[in-house]
Amino acid sequence: MALNNRSVGGGTDINETFDNSSLSTELLEKAERELMEKPSWRDRDIQALRDMISDDPDLVSRSDDAFLLRFLRARKFDYTRSFTLLQNYYMMRVKHANIFKDFTPSALKHVHQLNLQGFLPYRDPEGRAIFVFRGGLWDPSLCSADDLFRANVICLEKQIDDPLTQINGVVALLDMKMLGFHHVRHFSPSHALKVVSLVQDSFPARFKAVHIVNEPALFDLVLTIVKPLISEKLKKRIYTHGTNMKTLHSHIPPDILPCEFGGSMGPFNNKAFIEKLAEEEETFIQSQMYGYISQIAEKGVKKTVSLDTFSPYRRVCIR
C-alpha cells in the first residue's frame, strides 16, 4: 500500500517504533506548532515536571525523560496541567485498584484472544494511531466489563510509548454491531464515569477523534449516560456513522481499514499487536511499583523502589 505523509508518521507501520532522538524535522516542527515543544527547551521542561513530582511526598513516579514527555505533550507543555494529569494517572490506580491489580498482558490474554480490540497495522495520513474496539461482539459470559476495560487500557498504554502517537494522537474506531441489552446492562453510570475519566483526565494521550459505526438505536441509551460526563471539546470529536462507511472513509482512508469497515486490509485481527504487547510483560510488572504510597504499600513495596529495569531512571525512595 502507499505510505501517505510518511514525514509525520502517516501510513507507517504501527510496529515501526521511534524514539525522541530520531524524529523527523517535519514531526519536530509539528510538535512545536501544535504542542509548544522545542527541542532546545526539552531538558528544562522535563526537569521542571520532575521537580514538581519530587515536591509531592506521597507520589512515587517513574521519572525518566521518555515517561514524563508523554504527559508534557498531552498538555502542550503546560507544567501545571501536565503534573495534574500525571497525578490523575496515578490516582486513577488508587480509586480503581481492582482494575489495575495484576495489570499485565498475561493477565489479560484471555480477553485479547477474543479479538475485540487493538491498534490497526497502519497509521492514518495524519500519523494518528487507530484503536479499534468491537464492543458489540463482546460476550459478557467470557469476560467481565472491568476486564474488557483493562484490556483496552493496556493496549493504549503500550501504544502511547511511541513518540509518534504522543505527538500525532489517537483515533478510536468503535464498532457497535450486535450491541444489545445484555451489553448495556453492564454499562452503569459508574462504569461510564470510569471510562470518561480515563480518556479526558487521566491518560497522557491526545484523543483526536472517536468514530462510532454500526450503532443500533439502543446505543442512544449509552450516549445518554455518557454525554453529560464529556467535555464540549470531546463531544465535537465524536462522529456516528451508522452503517454508512463512506462517511467513515472521509476521515480514515479505506486502504488502511479492515474489511469490516469497508476497507481493503482483510478482516480485523489483533494478533500481531497483542504479540508485541506480550513482549512488554516485564515493563508492566515493574510499572506496578509506582504510584501513591498507600497504593504501593498494599503491593508490598516497603522502602525503596528500584528503577534499574528502566535505566537510566533515577532511584526514588519512599519518604
Side-chain angles (χ1 to χ4, degrees):
M1 61 170 288
L3 299 182
N4 301 315
N5 198 17
R6 189 181 178 94
S7 62
V8 293
T12 52
D13 189 322
I14 202 72
N15 291 317
E16 185 178 348
T17 58
F18 295 79
D19 61 41
N20 290 299
S21 64
S22 61
L23 302 179
S24 68
T25 300
E26 290 82 2
L27 193 63
L28 290 172
E29 289 175 351
K30 180 177 183 178
E32 181 171 354
R33 183 173 63 252
E34 296 186 8
L35 308 181
M36 316 303 172
E37 176 177 354
K38 291 188 177 182
S40 60
W41 294 356
R42 189 183 289 162
D43 289 345
R44 180 204 66 181
D45 295 337
I46 291 171
Q47 188 58 48
L49 182 54
R50 188 177 287 126
D51 290 342
M52 296 175 81
I53 294 169
S54 297
D55 288 338
D56 186 339
D58 298 319
L59 178 60
V60 178
S61 170
R62 277 181 56 177
S63 59
D64 57 292
D65 290 3
F67 181 74
L68 298 185
L69 262 176
R70 67 185 67 174
F71 291 91
L72 287 164
R73 285 170 171 156
R75 291 297 181 263
K76 299 185 177 181
F77 282 76
D78 180 310
Y79 299 161
T80 300
R81 294 177 65 232
S82 299
F83 182 53
T84 298
L85 177 61
L86 186 142
Q87 289 179 308
N88 290 346
Y89 173 86
Y90 281 117
M91 189 55 68
M92 183 89 171
R93 284 149 174 75
V94 175
K95 292 179 179 178
H96 304 288
N98 61 314
I99 296 292
F100 294 96
K101 182 180 180 181
D102 298 326
F103 189 62
T104 62
S106 61
L108 293 164
K109 185 177 180 180
H110 68 291
V111 184
H112 290 140
Q113 286 177 334
L114 301 175
N115 198 35
L116 299 176
Q117 66 274 101
F119 278 86
L120 294 185
Y122 294 96
R123 298 174 182 275
D124 76 2
E126 294 185 47
R128 302 177 298 191
I130 304 170
F131 178 70
V132 170
F133 174 54
R134 304 197 296 170
L137 299 181
W138 168 47
D139 183 345
S141 70
L142 297 179
C143 70
S144 67
D146 279 350
D147 272 355
L148 195 65
F149 178 69
R150 280 155 49 84
N152 288 345
V153 175
I154 205 168
C155 289
L156 292 170
E157 286 278 3
K158 158 64 177 161
Q159 190 53 46
I160 203 60
D161 271 344
D162 195 324
L164 263 70
T165 304
Q166 295 169 21
I167 295 170
N168 293 322
V170 173
V171 171
L173 176 52
L174 312 182
D175 187 355
M176 295 295 112
K177 188 176 184 179
M178 298 180 66
L179 184 79
F181 279 108
H182 63 299
H183 296 116
V184 174
R185 69 186 183 89
H186 294 277
F187 199 75
S188 64
S190 63
H191 188 79
L193 180 61
K194 186 164 50 186
V195 174
V196 173
S197 176
L198 178 96
V199 171
Q200 288 191 160
D201 306 312
S202 308
F203 193 78
R206 305 175 69 210
F207 291 94
K208 304 299 290 182
V210 177
H211 295 281
I212 302 164
V213 299
N214 296 319
E215 71 278 11
L218 179 63
F219 189 72
D220 289 341
L221 177 59
V222 176
L223 286 180
T224 300
I225 297 172
V226 171
K227 274 196 170 182
L229 308 173
I230 300 176
S231 68
E232 290 302 316
K233 181 178 180 180
L234 188 56
K235 284 178 184 176
K236 293 176 182 178
R237 295 180 177 182
I238 297 175
Y239 304 86
T240 54
H241 301 279
T243 58
N244 186 354
M245 297 304 161
K246 287 186 177 180
T247 60
L248 174 66
H249 298 165
S250 68
H251 297 271
I252 306 175
D255 59 355
I256 61 172
L257 286 171
C259 59
E260 293 94 334
F261 307 106
S264 55
M265 290 297 292
F268 174 75
N269 191 326
N270 68 2
K271 184 178 179 181
F273 180 80
I274 298 307
E275 286 177 349
K276 288 290 185 181
L277 174 64
E279 294 174 4
E280 304 298 324
E281 179 79 11
E282 186 60 27
T283 298
F284 281 100
I285 291 173
Q286 293 291 326
S287 292
Q288 293 185 80
M289 296 193 300
Y290 304 98
Y292 281 93
I293 290 176
S294 59
Q295 174 195 10
I296 295 172
E298 290 176 2
K299 292 186 172 75
V301 181
K302 300 296 185 182
K303 190 174 182 181
T304 301
V305 178
S306 172
L307 306 183
D308 295 343
T309 302
F310 297 107
S311 180
Y313 290 7
R314 58 186 176 127
R315 294 178 67 82
V316 178
C317 295
I318 298 177
R319 288 168 278 186

